[in-house]
Amino acid sequence: MKNIQMVDLHSQYLKIKKEIDEKWEQVLESCAFINGPMVKQFQSDLESYLGVKHVIPCGNGTDALQVALMSLNLQPGDEVITTTFTFIATAEVVALLGLTPVLVDVEADTFNIDTKAIEKAITPKTKAIVPVHLFGQCANMEQILAIAKKYNLYVIEDACQAIGATYTFSDGTTKKAGTIGTIGCTSFFPSKNLGCYGDGGAIFTNDDAIAYQLRGIVNHGMFKRYYHDMVGVNSRLDSLQAAVLDVKLKYLDEYAQNRNKAAAFYNQAFADVQQIITPKVHNNSTHVFHQYTLRVKGVDREKLIALMAEKHVPVMIYYPVPLHLQKAYKSERYQHGDFPVSEQLCKEVVSLPMHTELDEEQLKYITKNFLEAVRLSSL
């Protein structure tokens, strides 16, 4: 049996090695390393895949979120509502721009932002909502859009973990994650479902005026060479990374299918175990399982992790501390206990290996040892 990894990028690379090597050779021969033809090709292909008018490639997912907010001309002190149960970048960019992150709780079953909590958090200073499509499925976008329309708010989707997921509205129409709100953002970090071999990201929008702003901001606020119309940043996707992504984009749906097969195997193995709560898939969204994150109840989680390590099975905790309890984001507005669901999840969540190359032998080994570790670590 192959060594079990949280993400097996090497095995994935070997399957597409010929295509990757040929694309990299093209870039090296062209020497067009920044904003070259390969970047434009990937941008066009991703626009077609997502069904969105504008894709603006950038340096990474954090930049994507920051540039998205910069394009909306928000002012210091304006409030941006997001979830407390997410990776730090979601709130980090809000704080960096002098805006005020307003945190709310999540749903216990989907891990996504609680729409009821969003409306309760809105004040006259609220300007935007940043829902996070956590672990691979869309938040309840129909309700979020309704709230945004009611209060005239922007919606910036953090789709860094959910590229390729599809959301279905009550009228049957469908949209891809990141193309539903005002602006969508994604990361191409190597471990993502669509990942490059370095850093990379992209921003999506159907709004022509916002797209114009975004393109200027990522290029030093410049629309005409050496004429700078706004304060911008330097955030570009290089051609070598675009080449990798353009190859992988063709396999993205296949990758999601493989991840769903692995998730189904896990779900079946854990279905009748009282101490394990498997992840729920939202009725309106497909799930691309960037992570397979479950909850354990009545279990010593640290002992569980140690037992799995003895069997050479990596497990991770996404996330051990909610944002409102992080030192960098502690505020008098928030106290321990304010967001009980997120705080409880941080004590219970466990993520198992999840990637496109998991085979049945590995899955049987993981589930067998996880069930035994749960039994031995039960309180």
Side-chain angles (χ1 to χ4, degrees):
M1 183 178 69
K2 293 188 299 183
N3 290 337
I4 295 171
Q5 303 175 57
M6 286 298 292
V7 181
D8 187 355
L9 292 176
H10 186 253
S11 294
Q12 185 189 67
Y13 164 66
L14 292 177
K15 289 185 177 180
I16 55 175
K17 182 180 187 302
K18 185 174 184 293
E19 295 174 84
I20 294 288
D21 292 353
E22 287 175 356
K23 287 275 192 178
W24 273 30
E25 183 72 23
Q26 290 175 32
V27 174
L28 294 171
E29 286 291 336
S30 74
C31 291
F33 299 116
I34 300 293
N35 285 337
M38 199 65 73
V39 175
K40 293 177 174 61
Q41 181 64 57
F42 170 64
Q43 175 184 319
S44 176
D45 290 344
L46 187 55
E47 285 169 347
S48 297
Y49 174 82
L50 293 172
V52 70
K53 287 180 71 175
H54 304 285
V55 167
I56 297 89
C58 63
N60 54 67
T62 306
D63 281 1
L65 289 163
Q66 178 174 325
V67 171
L69 288 168
M70 290 173 70
S71 74
L72 301 175
N73 297 314
L74 304 181
Q75 300 302 309
D78 285 347
E79 294 178 353
V80 178
I81 297 173
T82 193
T83 164
T84 191
F85 187 65
T86 182
F87 181 62
I88 200 69
T90 312
E92 186 175 49
V93 296
V94 178
L96 283 170
L97 294 174
L99 308 171
T100 302
V102 175
L103 305 175
V104 300
D105 216 341
V106 297
E107 299 170 336
D109 50 3
T110 68
F111 310 132
N112 277 329
I113 194 165
D114 184 341
T115 54
K116 296 184 183 67
I118 292 174
E119 191 153 18
K120 291 177 182 176
I122 292 172
T123 75
K125 292 184 177 181
T126 306
K127 295 297 187 291
I129 307 167
V130 182
V132 180
H133 302 321
L134 198 66
F135 301 145
Q137 66 177 326
C138 296
N140 192 338
M141 289 304 296
E142 189 156 11
Q143 288 188 19
I144 291 169
L145 291 181
I147 293 168
K149 183 177 180 180
K150 180 178 177 181
Y151 295 96
N152 193 30
L153 305 175
Y154 297 112
V155 176
I156 301 99
E157 296 173 74
D158 182 339
C160 292
Q161 298 187 12
I163 191 165
T166 300
Y167 186 85
T168 302
F169 289 83
S170 56
D171 64 2
T173 59
T174 61
K175 288 188 176 183
K176 291 290 189 183
T179 70
I180 307 167
T182 316
I183 306 174
C185 305
T186 200
S187 165
F188 300 129
F189 188 78
S191 64
K192 301 297 186 187
N193 292 36
L194 180 61
C196 54
Y197 293 164
D199 267 322
I203 315 162
F204 322 131
T205 187
N206 286 303
D207 187 302
D208 295 340
I210 289 175
Y212 180 80
Q213 294 280 98
L214 292 167
R215 289 196 176 95
I217 293 169
V218 299
N219 192 29
H220 299 287
M222 180 171 60
F223 299 98
K224 180 181 177 182
R225 195 167 181 82
Y226 301 127
Y227 289 81
H228 305 272
D229 296 352
M230 63 180 72
V231 175
V233 297
N234 176 23
S235 184
R236 296 174 294 206
L237 179 68
D238 73 63
S239 299
L240 287 168
Q241 303 308 332
V244 173
L245 293 165
D246 206 42
V247 171
K248 284 190 171 187
L249 181 60
K250 297 184 296 184
Y251 298 100
L252 183 56
D253 290 341
E254 180 184 324
Y255 291 163
Q257 291 170 8
N258 291 345
R259 288 169 177 269
N260 270 272
K261 287 178 183 176
F265 193 100
Y266 285 143
N267 287 343
Q268 185 174 7
F270 305 142
D272 299 321
V273 183
Q274 187 176 1
Q275 296 104 315
I276 301 175
I277 302 173
T278 55
K280 177 186 176 182
V281 179
H282 194 286
N283 292 336
N284 295 87
S285 178
T286 60
H287 205 313
V288 295
F289 285 100
H290 172 60
Q291 303 294 349
Y292 182 87
T293 301
L294 47 72
R295 297 166 60 190
V296 289
K297 308 279 284 187
V299 169
D300 181 337
R301 192 173 61 174
E302 295 306 312
K303 182 178 180 181
L304 171 68
I305 293 170
L307 289 169
M308 293 298 283
E310 289 176 7
K311 298 297 182 179
H312 306 290
V313 178
V315 296
M316 296 292 291
I317 306 301
Y318 304 116
Y319 298 95
V321 183
L323 298 193
H324 69 284
L325 298 181
Q326 296 280 0
K327 288 182 180 179
Y329 295 90
K330 280 190 175 180
S331 165
E332 292 180 357
R333 293 177 298 157
Y334 306 125
Q335 304 298 324
H336 193 282
D338 283 353
F339 305 117
V341 175
S342 295
E343 291 176 31
Q344 190 64 29
L345 289 176
C346 288
K347 297 174 183 176
E348 296 176 350
V349 290
V350 175
S351 297
L352 296 180
M354 174 54 70
H355 54 81
T356 60
E357 310 307 310
L358 282 167
D359 59 40
E360 188 169 337
E361 183 182 19
Q362 290 175 313
L363 289 166
K364 285 180 177 178
Y365 183 84
I366 294 166
T367 52
K368 174 187 174 183
N369 284 287
F370 190 74
L371 287 168
E372 179 67 5
V374 167
R375 184 184 69 81
L376 293 174
S377 58
S378 292
L379 299 173

